[in-house]
């Protein structure tokens, strides 16, 4: 939606805000707003019952997943805002079309304070966290989280800063091309470390995941990982 900011001389343009929650019974929407500059500060200071001028619906939507997809929703900073509503739309399709969708969230922020309303997300699916400073979840960027090594994902959706979305798209393309060599190397190193510490049961669990991923890669690689000047946009199946 685009929200007009009244009474603010420096906010000439409407502010684009993602829809966070839709309550169809009460005919209301929730907007998750980051109080950062004059315009958003003015919006956050509005009293309950104030009238707000909003233009909707606007923006680009998400393509809905296919039946039985394992869906990963990746959000960075205030980019987490539309993912909750999207996950609920996915679940509504699950109920209507007898599909099975497993939705997980990978949410990242600079610090713990950038991650808001996590209980809402946990009510919808598994939640994985990264922070740049390590104050919550795993330290690093969302593309560095350990779940990429183990989780089977059919669909990835991302919302957040442009550099983050480009990094997620690059990682997704590499996985689609079958280029999981770095992931396999990391898993092998983890397995050897656990074995050296006599943590054999944990090492065996990592080994099973390693073998499963290695087998999957050998059967599903569509472009050689050694080719650097091509890209994969989609795969079609001619089977009827």
């Amino acid at each position: 939606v685009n929200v007009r900011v009244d009474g603010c001389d420096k906010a000439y343009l409407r502010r684009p805000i993602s829809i966070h929650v839709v309550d169809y019974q009460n005919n209301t929407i929730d907007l998750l707003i980051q109080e950062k500059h004059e315009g958003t500060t003015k919006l956050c200071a509005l009293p309950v019952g104030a009238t707000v001028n909003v233009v909707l619906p606007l923006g680009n939507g998400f393509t809905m997943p296919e039946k039985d997809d394992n869906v990963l929703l990746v959000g960075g900073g205030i980019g987490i805002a539309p993912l909750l509503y999207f996950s609920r739309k996915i679940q509504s399709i699950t109920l209507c079309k007898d599909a099975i969708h497993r939705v997980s969230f990978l949410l990242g922020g600079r610090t713990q304070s950038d991650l808001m309303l996590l209980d809402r997300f946990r009510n919808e699916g598994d939640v994985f966290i990264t922070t740049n400073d390590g104050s919550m979840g795993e330290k690093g960027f969302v593309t560095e989280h350990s779940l990429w090594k183990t989780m089977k994902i059919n669909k990835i959706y991302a919302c957040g800063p442009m550099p983050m979305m480009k990094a997620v798209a690059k990682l997704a393309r590499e996985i689609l091309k079958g280029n999981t060599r770095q992931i396999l190397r990391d898993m092998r190193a983890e397995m050897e470390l656990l074995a050296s510490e006599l943590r054999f049961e944990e090492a065996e669990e990592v080994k099973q995941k390693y073998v499963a991923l290695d087998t999957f890669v050998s059967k599903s690689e569509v472009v050689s990982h050694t080719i650097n000047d091509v890209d994969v946009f989609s795969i079609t199946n001619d089977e009827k």
Side-chain angles (χ1 to χ4, degrees):
V1 301
N2 272 4
V3 183
R4 191 177 72 191
V5 184
D6 296 326
C8 183
D9 296 335
K10 295 183 179 180
Y12 301 109
L13 302 176
R14 291 175 178 267
R15 294 299 186 261
I17 308 293
S18 296
I19 295 176
H20 183 55
V21 173
V22 176
D23 187 337
Y24 292 99
Q25 291 184 343
N26 295 309
N27 198 30
T28 62
I29 61 173
D30 289 1
L31 305 180
L32 185 58
I33 301 175
Q34 183 180 30
E35 186 176 346
K36 192 171 184 180
H37 300 296
E38 289 87 348
T40 51
T41 298
K42 185 71 175 180
L43 288 174
C44 292
L46 290 173
V48 176
T51 300
V52 180
N53 188 298
V54 178
V55 178
L56 77 160
L58 299 170
N60 298 317
F62 295 109
T63 301
M64 298 304 293
E66 301 295 332
K67 182 178 179 179
D68 301 338
D69 277 342
N70 287 329
V71 179
L72 178 65
L73 306 182
V74 185
I78 199 60
I80 71 174
L83 299 184
L84 185 68
Y85 175 48
F86 182 44
S87 71
R88 292 179 177 177
K89 290 294 290 184
I90 294 174
Q91 299 299 342
S92 67
I93 289 180
T94 298
L95 295 175
C96 294
K97 296 188 177 182
D98 194 29
I100 300 174
H101 294 113
R102 182 175 182 272
V103 178
S104 300
F105 300 93
L106 175 55
L107 309 178
R110 291 187 178 90
T111 67
Q112 180 177 352
S113 61
D114 292 326
L115 300 169
M116 301 161 284
L117 306 175
L118 294 180
D119 287 342
R120 289 188 175 185
F121 291 95
R122 292 189 177 106
N123 288 334
E124 304 298 326
D126 296 331
V127 176
F128 303 89
I129 301 293
T130 67
T131 49
N132 294 7
D133 63 357
S135 55
M136 176 181 281
E138 296 188 13
K139 184 176 181 179
F141 301 118
V142 290
T143 50
E144 298 171 331
H145 197 282
S146 59
L147 71 82
W148 297 104
K149 304 176 185 178
T150 58
M151 181 178 290
K152 182 180 179 181
I153 305 167
N154 303 104
K155 288 287 177 64
I156 302 171
Y157 300 86
C159 185
M162 187 59 68
M164 184 215 78
M165 291 196 292
K166 287 183 177 180
V168 171
K170 181 180 179 181
L171 178 59
R173 286 195 296 267
E174 291 301 309
I175 293 175
L176 183 60
K177 288 165 61 176
N179 190 4
T180 56
R181 270 63 185 179
Q182 183 58 50
I183 295 176
L184 288 170
R185 284 194 290 268
D186 292 343
M187 293 179 70
R188 186 178 184 86
E190 182 182 3
M191 180 174 58
E192 292 175 349
L193 175 62
L194 291 170
S196 68
E197 296 175 350
L198 305 182
R199 297 158 63 184
F200 299 116
E201 292 183 359
E202 295 176 62
E204 179 61 26
E205 291 181 1
V206 176
K207 179 182 177 181
Q208 292 177 5
K209 294 175 182 178
Y210 176 92
V211 171
L213 179 58
D214 190 46
T215 302
F216 171 78
V217 169
S218 64
K219 293 181 178 180
S220 63
E221 187 172 80
V222 294
V223 177
S224 173
H225 70 282
T226 61
I227 301 176
N228 297 317
D229 58 350
V230 297
D231 205 345
V232 176
F233 293 95
S234 65
I235 298 176
T236 60
N237 192 335
D238 293 331
E239 295 181 2
K240 296 182 179 180

